[in-house]
Amino acid sequence: MGEVQARMEDALSRLLPPIHVAPARLHAAMRYAALGGGKRVRPLLGFAAGELTGAAPERLEIAGAAVEMIHAYSLVHDDLPCMDDDVLRRGKPTVHVEYDEATALLAGDALQTLAFQLLAEHRLADEPRAQLEMVKLLAIAAGSRGMAGGQQIDLDSTGKTLALPELEFMHIHKTGALIRAAVMIGAACGKPLDEAGRASLDRYAKAVGLAFQVVDDVLDSEASTATLGKTAGKDSRQGKSTYVSALGAPKAKALAEELRADAHATLGKLGSRGARLAALADFVVLRKF
Ligand code: GRG
């Protein structure tokens, strides 16, 4: 994990515009948002999925950087006063606090468009059609039928109690869609999987994506701000529906375990090449931050 995390830090630093290029303030804010923090879970999953299909690491780091830039953009916008209004992220002041709101908005926008630029300008798949498919996967995962849509449902549901199927729908979109895209895009950097292999990998990614958010809900209610590097306990203070509010912490943890078992079971169909994906399912569920 450390190797991929270090590799991603280098790749992101190389791919983001340098601070000395105008507009320096915007480029500095983009670098502040994307560098020097974060677990890099999505690129880690992309690398592990790429191992399954024999993808070149040079391709995986570009694909991972694109997904990570979408993720960084979502965090910058999520922290804005018009959304979650938070002042701490990855143990540092949020982008709008360090810079200003307008710059944070633009930094998020520019990170998002740079992600698509990366997918367009680097050779990431053997077939052009497969590369176009990656662009589509990322666009759908980030858009109204993915992350942005999930965020809208989250905003609309504040102060309300969601039933479990609605909660699952929100989380699958808000957090799960990008995680799923990270896995499928990583795999697409290598030799195409057959239909059954693709379906198994997608099922794995869906389970891990949902597990990630269930664990995030548990950590928000149980871990400290210092451990998380972001403000803890916000979900209940803001009246958000979470797996902890819906099920209670013990049942939410049991659900995360069920999803971990599902992820492992589905990887069984992919043979020993899925070992790293299995270890990452464990990391997502057992993590403490
Ligand atoms: C603003 C379009 C838009 C979307 C925002 C994903 C999201 C939607 C907001 C993020 C808010 C949040 C805390 C969601 C919970 C799950 C999540 C994405 C946590 C942060 O991801 P990690 O733990 O963060 O991978 P690091 O810092 O490790 O990269």
Side-chain angles (χ1 to χ4, degrees), residues 37-42 68 71 73-75 77-78 83-84 89-90 142 147-148 151 174-175 212-213 216 230 287:
K39 298 178 285 298
R40 311 296 189 206
V41 165
R42 295 151 193 82
E68 196 64 10
H71 171 57
Y73 126 69
S74 80
L75 299 181
H77 282 195
D78 184 66
M83 296 225 187
D84 247 15
R89 170 74 65 185
R90 295 175 170 172
M147 183 179 74
Q151 181 78 345
K174 187 176 101 164
T175 317
F212 185 92
Q213 185 60 57
D216 202 76
K230 62 181 180 180
R287 70 199 163 98

Coordinates of all heavy atoms in Angstrom, one line a residue, residues 37-42 68 71 73-75 77-78 83-84 89-90 142 147-148 151 174-175 212-213 216 230 287, ligand 1:
G37 N -2.0 14.0 1.7 CA -3.0 13.5 2.6 C -3.9 12.6 1.9 O -3.9 12.5 0.6
G38 N -4.7 11.9 2.7 CA -5.6 11.0 2.0 C -5.1 9.6 2.0 O -3.9 9.4 1.9
K39 N -6.0 8.6 2.1 CA -5.5 7.2 2.2 C -5.3 6.7 0.8 O -4.7 5.6 0.6 CB -6.6 6.4 2.9 CG -6.9 6.8 4.3 CD -8.0 6.0 4.9 CE -9.4 6.4 4.5 NZ -9.8 7.8 4.8
R40 N -5.8 7.4 -0.2 CA -5.7 6.9 -1.7 C -6.3 5.6 -1.9 O -5.8 4.7 -2.6 CB -4.2 6.8 -2.1 CG -3.4 8.1 -1.8 CD -3.8 9.3 -2.5 NE -2.9 10.4 -2.4 CZ -3.3 11.7 -2.4 NH1 -4.5 12.0 -2.6 NH2 -2.4 12.6 -2.3
V41 N -7.5 5.4 -1.2 CA -8.2 4.1 -1.3 C -8.6 3.8 -2.7 O -8.4 2.6 -3.2 CB -9.4 4.1 -0.4 CG1 -10.4 3.0 -0.7 CG2 -9.0 4.0 1.1
R42 N -9.0 4.8 -3.5 CA -9.5 4.6 -4.8 C -8.4 4.1 -5.8 O -8.5 3.1 -6.5 CB -10.3 5.8 -5.3 CG -11.6 6.0 -4.5 CD -12.1 7.4 -4.3 NE -13.1 7.6 -3.3 CZ -12.8 7.7 -2.0 NH1 -11.5 7.7 -1.6 NH2 -13.7 7.8 -1.1
E68 N -8.7 10.1 -8.3 CA -8.4 10.8 -7.1 C -8.7 12.3 -7.2 O -9.1 13.0 -6.2 CB -6.9 10.5 -6.7 CG -6.5 10.9 -5.3 CD -7.2 10.1 -4.2 OE1 -7.9 9.1 -4.5 OE2 -7.0 10.5 -3.0
H71 N -12.3 12.7 -6.6 CA -12.5 12.5 -5.2 C -12.1 13.8 -4.5 O -12.9 14.4 -3.6 CB -11.7 11.3 -4.7 CG -11.6 11.2 -3.2 ND1 -12.8 11.1 -2.4 CD2 -10.6 11.1 -2.3 CE1 -12.4 11.0 -1.2 NE2 -11.1 11.0 -1.1
Y73 N -11.9 16.9 -5.6 CA -12.9 17.9 -5.9 C -14.1 17.8 -5.1 O -14.7 18.7 -4.5 CB -13.2 17.9 -7.4 CG -14.7 17.8 -7.8 CD1 -15.6 18.9 -7.5 CD2 -15.2 16.6 -8.4 CE1 -16.9 18.7 -7.8 CE2 -16.6 16.5 -8.7 CZ -17.4 17.6 -8.4 OH -18.8 17.5 -8.7
S74 N -14.6 16.5 -4.9 CA -15.8 16.3 -4.2 C -15.7 16.7 -2.7 O -16.6 17.3 -2.1 CB -16.3 14.8 -4.3 OG -15.6 14.0 -3.4
L75 N -14.5 16.5 -2.2 CA -14.2 16.8 -0.8 C -14.2 18.4 -0.6 O -14.8 18.9 0.3 CB -12.9 16.2 -0.3 CG -12.8 14.7 -0.3 CD1 -11.5 14.2 0.3 CD2 -14.0 14.0 0.5
H77 N -15.7 20.6 -2.5 CA -17.0 21.2 -2.6 C -17.9 20.8 -1.4 O -18.7 21.6 -0.9 CB -17.7 20.8 -3.9 CG -17.2 21.6 -5.1 ND1 -17.8 21.6 -6.3 CD2 -16.1 22.4 -5.2 CE1 -17.2 22.3 -7.2 NE2 -16.1 22.8 -6.5
D78 N -17.7 19.5 -0.9 CA -18.5 19.1 0.2 C -18.3 19.9 1.5 O -19.1 20.1 2.3 CB -18.2 17.6 0.5 CG -19.1 17.0 1.6 OD1 -20.3 16.9 1.4 OD2 -18.5 16.7 2.7
M83 N -22.6 23.5 1.7 CA -22.8 22.1 1.8 C -22.6 21.7 3.3 O -23.4 22.1 4.1 CB -21.9 21.3 0.8 CG -22.3 21.6 -0.6 SD -22.4 20.2 -1.6 CE -22.6 21.0 -3.2
D84 N -21.5 21.0 3.5 CA -21.3 20.5 4.9 C -20.7 21.5 5.9 O -20.7 21.3 7.1 CB -20.4 19.2 4.9 CG -21.2 18.0 5.3 OD1 -22.4 18.1 5.3 OD2 -20.6 17.0 5.6
R89 N -10.0 19.1 7.2 CA -10.0 18.0 6.2 C -8.6 17.4 6.2 O -7.7 18.2 6.0 CB -10.5 18.4 4.9 CG -10.4 17.4 3.7 CD -11.3 16.3 3.8 NE -12.7 16.6 3.6 CZ -13.7 15.8 3.8 NH1 -13.4 14.5 4.0 NH2 -15.0 16.1 3.7
R90 N -8.4 16.2 6.3 CA -7.1 15.5 6.3 C -6.1 16.2 7.2 O -4.9 16.5 6.9 CB -6.5 15.6 4.8 CG -7.3 14.7 3.9 CD -6.8 14.8 2.4 NE -7.5 13.8 1.6 CZ -7.3 13.8 0.3 NH1 -6.6 14.7 -0.4 NH2 -7.9 12.8 -0.4
A142 N -19.4 10.2 -11.5 CA -19.3 11.5 -10.8 C -20.5 12.4 -10.9 O -20.7 13.3 -10.1 CB -18.1 12.3 -11.4
M147 N -22.1 10.3 -7.9 CA -21.8 11.0 -6.7 C -22.6 12.3 -6.5 O -23.1 12.6 -5.4 CB -20.3 11.3 -6.8 CG -19.7 12.0 -5.6 SD -17.9 12.2 -5.9 CE -17.9 13.6 -7.1
A148 N -22.7 13.1 -7.6 CA -23.4 14.4 -7.4 C -24.9 14.1 -7.1 O -25.5 14.8 -6.2 CB -23.3 15.3 -8.6
Q151 N -25.1 13.1 -3.5 CA -24.9 14.3 -2.6 C -26.3 15.1 -2.5 O -26.6 15.6 -1.5 CB -23.8 15.2 -3.2 CG -23.5 16.5 -2.3 CD -22.7 16.2 -1.1 OE1 -22.6 15.1 -0.7 NE2 -22.2 17.2 -0.5
K174 N -23.6 8.3 -3.6 CA -22.6 9.3 -3.1 C -21.2 8.8 -3.0 O -20.3 9.5 -3.4 CB -23.1 9.8 -1.7 CG -22.4 11.0 -1.2 CD -22.9 11.5 0.1 CE -22.1 11.0 1.3 NZ -22.3 11.8 2.5
T175 N -21.0 7.7 -2.5 CA -19.6 7.2 -2.2 C -19.3 6.0 -3.1 O -18.2 5.8 -3.6 CB -19.5 6.8 -0.7 OG1 -20.1 7.8 0.1 CG2 -18.0 6.6 -0.3
F212 N -17.5 0.8 2.5 CA -16.7 2.0 2.8 C -17.6 3.0 3.5 O -17.2 3.6 4.5 CB -16.1 2.6 1.5 CG -15.2 3.7 1.8 CD1 -13.9 3.5 1.9 CD2 -15.7 5.0 1.9 CE1 -13.0 4.6 2.1 CE2 -14.8 6.1 2.1 CZ -13.5 5.8 2.3
Q213 N -18.8 3.2 3.0 CA -19.6 4.3 3.6 C -20.2 3.8 4.9 O -20.4 4.6 5.9 CB -20.7 4.7 2.6 CG -21.6 5.8 3.1 CD -20.8 7.1 3.4 OE1 -20.2 7.6 2.5 NE2 -20.9 7.6 4.6
D216 N -17.6 4.4 7.3 CA -17.4 5.9 7.5 C -18.5 6.4 8.5 O -18.2 7.2 9.3 CB -17.6 6.6 6.1 CG -16.9 7.9 6.1 OD1 -15.7 8.0 6.0 OD2 -17.7 9.0 6.2
K230 N -10.7 14.9 10.3 CA -11.9 15.7 10.0 C -12.8 15.8 11.1 O -12.7 14.9 12.0 CB -12.6 15.2 8.7 CG -13.1 13.8 8.8 CD -13.7 13.3 7.6 CE -14.3 11.9 7.7 NZ -14.9 11.3 6.6
R287 N -10.4 -0.6 8.9 CA -9.7 0.7 9.1 C -10.2 1.4 10.3 O -11.4 1.3 10.7 CB -9.7 1.6 7.9 CG -11.1 2.2 7.6 CD -11.2 2.7 6.2 NE -12.6 2.9 5.8 CZ -13.2 4.1 5.8 NH1 -12.5 5.1 6.1 NH2 -14.5 4.2 5.5
Ligands
GRG1 C1 -19.8 17.8 -3.8 C2 -20.4 16.6 -5.9 C3 -20.1 16.6 -4.5 C4 -20.0 15.4 -3.9 C5 -19.6 15.2 -2.6 C6 -18.3 12.1 -1.7 C7 -19.0 13.3 -1.3 C8 -20.0 13.8 -2.2 C9 -18.7 14.0 -0.2 C10 -17.6 13.6 0.7 C11 -18.2 13.7 2.1 C12 -18.0 12.5 2.9 C13 -17.2 12.7 4.1 C14 -18.4 11.4 2.4 C15 -18.3 10.2 3.2 C16 -17.4 9.2 2.5 C17 -16.1 9.8 2.0 C18 -16.1 10.0 0.6 C19 -15.1 10.0 2.9 C20 -13.9 10.6 2.5 O1 -13.2 9.6 1.7 P1 -11.8 9.0 2.2 O2 -11.9 8.4 3.6 O3 -10.9 10.3 2.3 O4 -11.3 8.1 1.2 P2 -9.3 10.5 2.2 O5 -9.0 11.8 2.9 O6 -8.6 9.3 2.8 O7 -9.0 10.6 0.7

